[in-house]
Amino acid sequence: MKSSCVRFRKVFEMLDRYAWLDEDYERLEKQALTRQIRSVDAVLGDRGAWIRVEGKTLLNLSSNNYLGLAHDARLKAAAMEAIELWGTGATASRLVTGSCALYTELEQRLAAWKEREAALVFASGYQANAGVISALVGRGDAVFSDRLNHASIVDGIVQSRAEHYRYRHNDPEHLAYLLEKHKGARRKLIVTDTVFSMDGDTALLPDLVGLRARYGALLMVDEAHAGGVLGERGEGLCHALGLHREIDVIMGTFSKAFGAYGGYICADHSVVRYLATKSRPLIYSTALPPAVIASVLTALTIVMKDAERRKSLQAKAKWLRERLASYGFSVGEGDTPIIPLIIGDNEKTLRYSRKLEEMGIAAVAIRPPTVPAGTSRIRLTVMATHTWAELEWAADQLQSIRADLEGGIG
Ligand SMILES: Cc1ncc(COP(=O)(O)O)c(C=O)c1O
């Protein structure tokens, strides 16, 4: 009797222990804000354009594989060769024994590509942002961050314990006001995405460079969605505007146009040397597997040389954006392969995404907190390896259910 009472109490405690999670989950469910991890069963072919998800074949308009390199035979061959030479894992942090010679080659080539003194590779873009910001600023400092910056920037600021001032999106006047108001802070850091990940528009870098000089602030930019996509040799927005020497830290990722994984920064020697000593994600997380670095090295060669691929991406993105705008979609202000179809309501956005999936298109719904409340959207991304026929078909599918969208689908 006693033992069954104890067992009952234990079961009750277990149930009760997670009741708050279930309650919160149900609250999120009512607001159409829960998220599910879907299993991609297969990528069909080497263009990365088609995937099979839970038995359905879908045109992938939701990846960041802008140049279509993630399934490129050259990247795969480089990775396999590196596995033969170096094995599958890095076995330790970069500061212990995890930094194989491929890293040195990659960092030298990155610094040369970006025309900066030095580069530092991190295990991911998230770690680069979080690790750089939390090392460069701390208590008594102030970070000025665009309201639409990526979550990894926000998390880096929170970890740093510096004061966090969010300026209105792409509003240099508001930034100047905040800089003036907090000019007494010990150190000031301005940070921005160069291409905004959910909107596809670009930062007003010349204004930010001017404010950097006026207020003696540091300026850090996140080129995650610009690397490989903008600039003559895919360097990013800073190069495209000739401002790459006016910026303290240029951050980027290999997880998008490079078709691989990892993050990096390019900066002056002093900055890189300091970060290698102070950045916690770099110190306390295992280095990327050598095979990843090998595929990134191959991707870098392609990114730098294959201007045709970049031009094709730009032409296709421009075409799709214009076609969708001509159909009456609200496509945002950008000029990049990220095309947001702003819908607003969470539930409506989910329904539209599901309907597109039924029609054979993977176009994922993006909802808060990834985007501000009331701006839920379908975020379309174009790849250089999409064919014109695929994009035409997709545009027609999107249009064919637009009327349903206006009136509410389902
Ligand atoms: C603007 C931006 N910065 C940083 C990251 C993080 O990069 P990674 O996926 O390499 O961790 C992302 C990716 O989602 C991003 O969109």
Side-chain angles (χ1 to χ4, degrees), residues 114 146 149 167 169-172 175 190-196 201-213 218-223 226 230 235-251:
K114 297 275 191 171
D146 189 291
N149 276 344
Y167 59 90
H169 177 52
N170 262 348
D171 185 342
L175 171 60
I190 303 168
V191 58
T192 186
D193 288 7
T194 57
V195 170
F196 289 89
D201 57 340
T202 47
L204 302 175
L205 281 189
D207 294 289
L208 302 191
V209 165
L211 289 170
R212 166 189 183 257
L218 294 170
L219 175 57
M220 172 173 174
V221 301
D222 175 338
E223 295 259 44
L230 302 177
E235 302 96 329
L237 185 67
C238 300
H239 260 80
L241 299 176
L243 293 171
H244 52 285
R245 293 187 205 282
E246 316 289 325
I247 286 154
D248 300 286
V249 180
I250 301 177
M251 171 272 175

Side-chain angles (χ1 to χ4, degrees), residues 64 124-127 129 150 152 193 195 197-198 222 224-225 251 253-256 261-263:
N64 296 315
S124 72
Y126 185 102
Q127 290 197 14
N129 273 337
H150 189 257
S152 53
D193 288 7
V195 170
S197 55
M198 296 299 133
D222 175 338
H225 294 274
M251 171 272 175
T253 60
F254 305 125
S255 56
K256 306 186 193 304
Y261 194 63

Side-chain angles (χ1 to χ4, degrees), residues 378-394:
I378 299 290
R379 173 184 181 266
L380 300 176
T381 46
V382 178
M383 292 190 276
T385 47
H386 281 131
T387 64
W388 289 99
E390 284 164 351
L391 294 176
E392 270 185 42
W393 173 78

Side-chain angles (χ1 to χ4, degrees), residues 58-331:
L58 305 174
L59 180 69
N60 192 354
L61 284 174
S62 276
S63 91
N64 296 315
N65 182 19
Y66 301 119
L67 295 174
L69 292 180
H71 310 93
D72 189 285
R74 293 164 290 181
L75 270 71
K76 288 193 227 172
M80 287 187 281
E81 197 181 316
I83 287 176
E84 284 297 336
L85 270 174
W86 295 97
T88 50
T91 78
S93 149
R94 292 203 57 195
L95 291 155
V96 184
T97 52
S99 198
C100 69
L102 296 172
Y103 269 103
T104 314
E105 185 187 345
L106 179 57
E107 287 174 344
Q108 283 170 355
R109 286 188 53 197
L110 286 171
W113 177 49
K114 297 275 191 171
E115 299 180 283
R116 295 300 301 256
E117 286 177 8
L120 188 62
V121 172
F122 289 77
S124 72
Y126 185 102
Q127 290 197 14
N129 273 337
V132 169
I133 296 171
S134 57
L136 288 184
V137 289
R139 279 204 177 92
D141 298 332
V143 185
F144 302 85
S145 169
D146 189 291
R147 242 176 221 287
L148 296 190
N149 276 344
H150 189 257
S152 53
I153 293 176
V154 176
D155 292 0
I157 300 169
V158 171
Q159 283 166 30
S160 77
R161 298 186 174 93
E163 292 300 326
H164 183 182
Y165 302 108
R166 295 170 54 180
Y167 59 90
R168 286 192 288 271
H169 177 52
N170 262 348
D171 185 342
E173 273 178 31
H174 189 219
L175 171 60
Y177 164 80
L178 289 172
L179 280 162
E180 184 62 35
K181 190 169 170 193
H182 302 288
K183 62 183 178 196
R186 187 180 58 159
R187 268 192 292 274
K188 292 175 279 298
L189 171 66
I190 303 168
V191 58
T192 186
D193 288 7
T194 57
V195 170
F196 289 89
S197 55
M198 296 299 133
D199 292 78
D201 57 340
T202 47
L204 302 175
L205 281 189
D207 294 289
L208 302 191
V209 165
L211 289 170
R212 166 189 183 257
R214 188 175 350 146
Y215 286 94
L218 294 170
L219 175 57
M220 172 173 174
V221 301
D222 175 338
E223 295 259 44
H225 294 274
V229 174
L230 302 177
E232 238 169 74
R233 294 186 308 156
E235 302 96 329
L237 185 67
C238 300
H239 260 80
L241 299 176
L243 293 171
H244 52 285
R245 293 187 205 282
E246 316 289 325
I247 286 154
D248 300 286
V249 180
I250 301 177
M251 171 272 175
T253 60
F254 305 125
S255 56
K256 306 186 193 304
F258 279 68
Y261 194 63
Y264 66 91
I265 60 129
C266 292
D268 284 0
H269 272 304
S270 313
V271 176
V272 168
R273 188 177 68 170
Y274 185 77
L275 290 173
T277 294
K278 291 284 285 190
S279 180
R280 292 174 68 89
L282 189 87
I283 302 168
Y284 297 113
S285 189
T286 299
L288 284 168
V292 174
I293 303 295
S295 52
V296 168
L297 278 164
T298 303
L300 179 57
T301 304
I302 299 169
V303 161
M304 289 173 72
K305 288 194 175 154
D306 195 349
E308 285 311 310
R309 192 179 277 261
R310 199 161 18 259
K311 277 190 200 138
S312 164
L313 170 67
Q314 280 154 1
K316 286 169 184 165
K318 186 170 186 297
W319 179 88
L320 185 61
R321 183 182 292 277
E322 287 173 2
R323 172 63 66 96
L324 293 173
S326 78
Y327 285 161
F329 282 101
S330 152
V331 294

